Amino acid sequence: MNYIQIMGVLKKAGLSTVLLFLLQAKTFSQVQPLPVPLRVENLICEYKTNPIAVDAANPRLSWKLITQDRGVQQTSYEIRVGSNAVSLTKGKDIIWGTGRIYSPQSIQIYYGGPMLGSRQKVYWQVRVWNNKNQVSPWSMVNFWKMGLLKKTDWTAQWIQDTYLSDTTGGPAPMFRKTFKLDRKIRAAHLYITAHGVFEAQINGKRVGDDYFAPGWTSYNKRLQYNVYDVTSSILKGLNAIGVTIGDGWYRGYTYNRKKNVYGKKLGLLCQLEVVYTNGQREIINSDKTWKVAYGPIRSSSFFDGEVYDARKQKPGWATGTYKDATWDTVKTDTTIKANLIATSGPTVKKHEKFSPLKVLTTPAGERVVDFGQNLVGWVQFKLQGKAGDTVRLYHAEVLDQKGNFYTKNLRTAKQEITYVFKSDSVETYEPHFTFQGFRFMKIVGYTGPLDSTNVAAYALYSDMAQTGSFSTSNKLVNQLQHNIQWGQKGNFIDVPTDCPQRDERMGWTGDAQAFCRTATFNMDVAGFFTKWLKDLSADQHKDGAVPYVIPNMLDSTLSAASGWSDVATIAPWNIYLAYNDKQVLQQQYNSMKAWVGYIQRHSRNYLWDTGNHFGDWLFYAGTNYEDGAALTDKNLIAQAFYAHSTQLLINAARILGHSDDVQTYTQLLYNIKKAFNSEYVTPNGRMISGTQTSYVLALNFDMLPENLRASAAKRLVSNIEDYDEHITTGFLGTPYICHVLSRFGRTDIAYDLLMKESYPSWLYPVKNGATTIWERWDGIKPDGSFEDPEMNSFNHYAYGAIGDWMYRVVAGINTDEDDPGFHKIIIAPHPGGKLTMAQAELETLYGKIKSAWTIDQGIFTLDITVPPNTTAQVILPSVTDPITENGLDINTVKEITDIKKVGNDEQFAVVSGSYHFVYTLRVPGKKN
Ligand code: BGC
């Protein structure tokens, strides 16, 4: 077979890109000796590799430079886009070729070719030139495919079942359709969405590996559809498609047992588009010719679990030969006007598997499996029963003081799986339209053996690549980082939720804003937040008030709380900083402005002292909740966040070039701060709430005049000392407290807080066996009893916001805010807390950054990596000269420039590459 023939075969198998790469790599290796000094890899389009449903008219393209050399900067690039992969590599049939563009930009470049139509698939390649007169080979070929861009592209009809009681908790309808294809096909794609959550099959094979699709959005305004390449599942001749739909977020139980939030009726809309080898397209639409029946899923609910009766399975129901004479015909509904959009964020997928750590019998005599990790997902089993027997699984996060299974903190959420056996043989099951937050699983109705061969827990969460890692010489701190990451996994299920286990699980805005920046370090959350922020704009009220939860399913009065609604400005800004994503600022600008406008209209003389606020939620309240000494005045907080949101709006306006707004809001900010000082600060700088949060917010948001800041920082420190170096902040003060201490030269106190093991502190839950972040500082109290079960989640990420300080200050990986997206990196490690080692890595859009330090007998070693096409400012602490880099005095290393001493620090600039620094640490009080 020649090249073209091989490509033909692979194309049919959907593998053309892979092979093209291999063939190219071979071609390159023939003409150019490996390793290639400069390569381009990781081509992404709208944050995805080879997306097949893009609805941005001008999608953004990014790539990474791969090189072993130091000091590599891209000086120019060339992109070429074509509609045929093979021609593209020959430079033929190019639909958009940029030619050589003299620019260092390698991320977020807008496609600028002719307008692409619905379903159009284009291939693209990049090559780059660098400052060392090297040119890369053309990259491998990647592609993107456009979604259905026009309403008229949708020829399918919404179909529904005919179930009588159209409401929450009914059986999951199964829809099916057979169709014949008498010719060979070139490609087949399924475009599909639902009212509810769907699982599709073609010829008995599951379509894709997404769960809970089409995800959760503000359904009535924005309903996502998913697209799957199903070419390999289609047969010549008879085919069948089957789709099951569960209640999901659409009509399932939610907060306060509210149901049918978006509608009563489940529905399916899909079109299977087949393209024959001659290019002709045929569409199999959802329409009145489909059949519907009910099967084994008797009910499903995110809160309550699933009831599955295996006796009601319909074997082969999604294959062509299945006899469906007894099935009902479907109802069609042409009145639904859904605002369909392509799925843009990462979809929920199945991730880690956990085998039982222990199988135990509790003092109450219950049989419980401990999976060793508080996770969000479900249990899969292979068990043997008797036909008609029922096995029940219950899920809990913790055991109580006595070691018994504890579910009171789930409130009304049942988290229960009921399974009825169909036979006397081994049966395999995993749930479909539910998820549980749990570490422990209680089993009832099964007494046989339980071990890793027949029971496993799976974590399900949005498919975000893990980008960050952080570890130190302190095991408890490492466990804290583990807990932060698992808090993120468990609560990033299509939207950022508060908690994943009790009857809540909503997109609480305060929690999301507190944790958002930390989230950008742990995982790639660009697509995740960009999508959610669109729902924020969609659900923001006309007067600018931002609801407490997004997507909003609460009453419209439940909106506009300080520190919660400010997610409207804080999240876009954090995404901009992490990914240099100006588009998210553009997309959210009106929303940001509307939120600040809302506060403006509800303020008098620039003071916002009205409205309902949650305040510094769950601060340390001693024994007297809401009345402790650490209680911060809610209006003071509101004013501080008013200023912060206004500042972020100014920042966005500056970046987007809205100079009038910059002026207007700068004046407003001046007045907000003035009002803050006259209302809440004495002339000597004492604040009316003398709490940690009060000083933290005032200092972090630059509320105080310069001359009062140092004394305010001292007051903060003495407050912390009054509490014997314990943290007393709630959701709003916690993200910033260590940053403020570091900024004012008291990283030592920040470390005291981090290292504290007694309550309240970050390590107190760790010492108590936590594997995720707790909602409260004392979810389990020092006496071993639980906090109020009405509000006691053991998987709530807000306090995990310390992660941001751990990456940015302990390991010291930061972006310069004036050149964000880690294009200009700041590496400024801060040793302390008796740590002898800390290291972090962060995979950015440019490549991997690393900062790893050790202290051994007074010798400080720092290893850093600065990705190609970026530069870094390095700030080394407590320096005594000389500093060496790989054994050489840094003054002699050509990649190190602008060396200067600032106090005890030494600062310099480095170009890309890896470096190994060593020096002796200055001993405090000693002349070095
Ligand atoms: C949630 C929180 C949320 C809060 C609002 C709680 O029930 O779980 O995390 O932010 O309500 O105060």
Side-chain angles (χ1 to χ4, degrees), residues 214-219 222-224 262 341 494-495 531 535 551:
W216 189 9
T217 49
S218 176
Y219 290 135
R222 297 167 14 89
L223 178 62
Q224 299 189 120
Y262 297 96
I341 46 165
D494 215 65
V495 306
K531 168 236 173 201
D535 291 299

Side-chain angles (χ1 to χ4, degrees), residues 255 411 498-499 502 504 508 510-511 564 614 617 731 775 791 796:
Y255 196 50
R411 304 197 305 217
D498 56 335
C499 58
R502 69 175 177 229
E504 203 144 1
W508 278 99
D511 310 47
W564 265 247
F614 299 109
W617 192 247
F731 279 22
E775 176 174 26
M791 247 192 43
H796 232 79

Side-chain angles (χ1 to χ4, degrees), residues 296-601:
I297 302 177
R298 305 316 296 162
S299 75
S300 64
S301 150
F302 284 145
F303 286 3
D304 296 340
E306 197 160 277
V307 178
Y308 189 94
D309 186 343
R311 294 170 305 180
K312 295 192 185 298
Q313 281 175 353
K314 298 181 183 300
W317 71 279
T319 60
T321 50
Y322 179 82
K323 302 271 174 288
D324 61 11
T326 59
W327 287 43
D328 278 346
T329 49
V330 296
K331 288 203 300 193
T332 56
D333 189 334
T334 48
T335 62
I336 300 170
K337 298 269 177 288
N339 205 353
L340 294 169
I341 46 165
T343 297
S344 60
T347 50
V348 174
K349 294 200 196 291
K350 201 194 268 182
H351 295 272
E352 293 88 341
K353 176 183 178 182
F354 292 87
S355 293
L357 185 69
K358 268 188 249 158
V359 180
L360 41 113
T361 305
T362 65
E366 295 176 323
R367 203 152 176 237
V368 169
V369 177
D370 175 2
F371 288 103
Q373 172 64 48
N374 194 5
L375 65 103
V376 178
W378 59 45
V379 171
Q380 189 187 65
F381 65 70
K382 273 187 220 163
L383 299 179
Q384 191 168 11
K386 287 221 161 16
D389 277 2
T390 299
V391 60
R392 290 196 163 81
L393 312 183
Y394 301 87
H395 302 77
E397 293 184 290
V398 284
L399 301 180
D400 70 11
Q401 234 171 336
K402 292 188 184 136
N404 285 320
F405 197 70
Y406 180 81
T407 53
K408 275 206 188 90
N409 68 325
L410 305 178
R411 304 197 305 217
T412 69
K414 291 199 188 93
Q415 296 213 126
E416 176 182 342
I417 299 293
T418 304
Y419 181 86
V420 183
F421 289 93
K422 65 179 176 204
S423 72
D424 298 351
S425 338
V426 174
E427 293 178 22
T428 303
Y429 167 80
E430 70 173 1
H432 302 80
F433 304 125
T434 183
F435 61 83
Q436 282 77 46
F438 68 105
R439 169 175 167 171
F440 299 93
M441 184 268 284
K442 178 173 90 178
I443 189 159
V444 174
Y446 172 83
T447 50
L450 277 178
D451 55 38
S452 57
T453 63
N454 61 0
V455 60
Y458 283 92
L460 277 86
Y461 51 88
S462 287
D463 194 27
M464 306 160 293
Q466 183 168 334
T467 49
S469 65
F470 174 89
S471 63
T472 69
S473 50
N474 182 311
K475 283 199 180 115
L476 297 178
V477 173
N478 297 349
Q479 182 67 36
L480 173 66
Q481 166 65 10
H482 169 98
N483 296 359
I484 296 169
Q485 278 177 327
W486 274 92
Q488 181 163 353
K489 290 175 181 181
N491 282 295
F492 278 47
I493 301 222
D494 215 65
V495 306
T497 59
D498 56 335
C499 58
Q501 73 299 79
R502 69 175 177 229
D503 53 358
E504 203 144 1
R505 310 181 187 198
M506 294 182 291
W508 278 99
T509 47
D511 310 47
Q513 71 79 10
F515 188 67
C516 177
R517 186 128 192 218
T518 297
T520 64
F521 280 93
N522 287 325
M523 294 179 191
D524 173 4
V525 294
F528 180 86
F529 272 109
T530 311
K531 168 236 173 201
W532 184 71
L533 283 167
K534 287 184 185 162
D535 291 299
L536 184 147
S537 300
D539 280 350
Q540 189 168 6
H541 300 306
K542 283 214 170 64
D543 63 358
V546 177
Y548 294 167
V549 299
I550 298 295
N552 186 27
M553 66 230 300
L554 305 175
D555 200 301
S556 66
T557 57
L558 301 177
S559 58
S562 74
W564 265 247
S565 302
D566 297 287
V567 77
T569 55
I570 294 170
W573 183 249
N574 286 335
I575 297 302
Y576 165 72
L577 289 183
Y579 308 102
N580 192 13
D581 188 332
K582 291 195 182 76
Q583 191 172 286
V584 80
L585 296 180
Q586 234 153 29
Q587 169 195 309
Q588 297 305 124
Y589 190 71
N590 288 340
S591 153
M592 294 169 86
K593 205 166 156 176
W595 169 235
V596 171
Y598 173 91
I599 310 176
Q600 240 180 317
R601 283 191 306 280

Side-chain angles (χ1 to χ4, degrees), residues 155-217:
T155 46
Q157 289 178 330
W158 279 96
I159 57 174
Q160 299 169 334
D161 61 330
T162 48
Y163 195 67
L164 296 176
S165 62
D166 292 330
T167 188
T168 311
M174 299 154 73
F175 297 91
R176 80 181 298 273
K177 158 95 186 164
T178 51
F179 55 96
K180 270 201 182 121
L181 300 174
D182 52 8
R183 278 174 288 154
K184 277 193 173 170
I185 64 152
R186 184 199 294 164
H189 287 87
L190 178 65
Y191 296 80
I192 178 166
T193 188
H195 287 161
V197 281
F198 69 80
E199 233 182 58
Q201 295 182 33
I202 289 179
N203 296 324
K205 191 172 147 206
R206 193 184 200 278
V207 173
D209 55 357
D210 294 337
Y211 293 86
F212 317 138
W216 189 9
T217 49

